[in-house]
Amino acid sequence: MLFRSTPYPGTKFYDEIKRGMWGEMTEERDKLTNYFSTFKPEGYASLKQVSDMKTYAHKKFYLRPKYILGRLLKIKTMEDIKKYWRGFIAIITS
């Protein structure tokens, strides 16, 4: 699993995890967003490892030469340049 799942209270997924299926989750309700890793699937050592895998997957996808070339060929305006630059910086600094 290379995406971060957030089991929200009231969902079937949340109920299954509370019964011990699929893995473990944090009880920190303020972190129940898609920004933080709150669910640790079986096979992962920690929530940090889940976050690290997400970062790794994003970099592997968005820093592919074919993907970058495709984006460069779509540039039409200065706003496009700014948008892609901000995205590039976000990926490499994560």
Side-chain angles (χ1 to χ4, degrees):
M1 186 183 298
L2 289 179
F3 61 91
R4 290 188 299 196
S5 298
T6 301
Y8 292 105
T11 64
K12 181 179 177 183
F13 186 43
Y14 180 88
D15 294 339
E16 289 175 345
I17 290 169
K18 291 307 252 179
R19 287 195 309 267
M21 297 174 67
W22 314 114
E24 302 170 2
M25 66 177 281
T26 180
E27 292 298 324
E28 298 175 73
R29 292 213 179 241
D30 60 321
K31 291 191 174 179
L32 290 178
T33 67
N34 288 325
Y35 183 76
F36 299 102
S37 292
T38 57
F39 170 62
K40 181 180 68 82
E42 292 173 353
Y44 284 85
S46 66
L47 289 175
K48 181 176 178 346
Q49 186 182 25
V50 174
S51 289
D52 291 348
M53 283 300 292
K54 178 191 173 285
T55 299
Y56 171 79
H58 272 105
K59 287 181 178 180
K60 284 294 272 185
F61 181 83
Y62 289 110
L63 297 179
R64 293 174 298 138
K66 185 176 179 180
Y67 181 84
I68 292 170
L69 180 61
R71 293 294 154 228
L72 290 174
L73 293 174
K74 291 183 177 188
I75 291 175
K76 303 223 183 311
T77 67
M78 190 59 154
E79 285 304 310
D80 290 342
I81 293 171
K82 291 176 186 176
K83 176 177 67 173
Y84 290 131
W85 180 253
R86 286 190 304 267
F88 174 73
I89 295 300
I91 290 295
I92 64 168
T93 59
S94 63

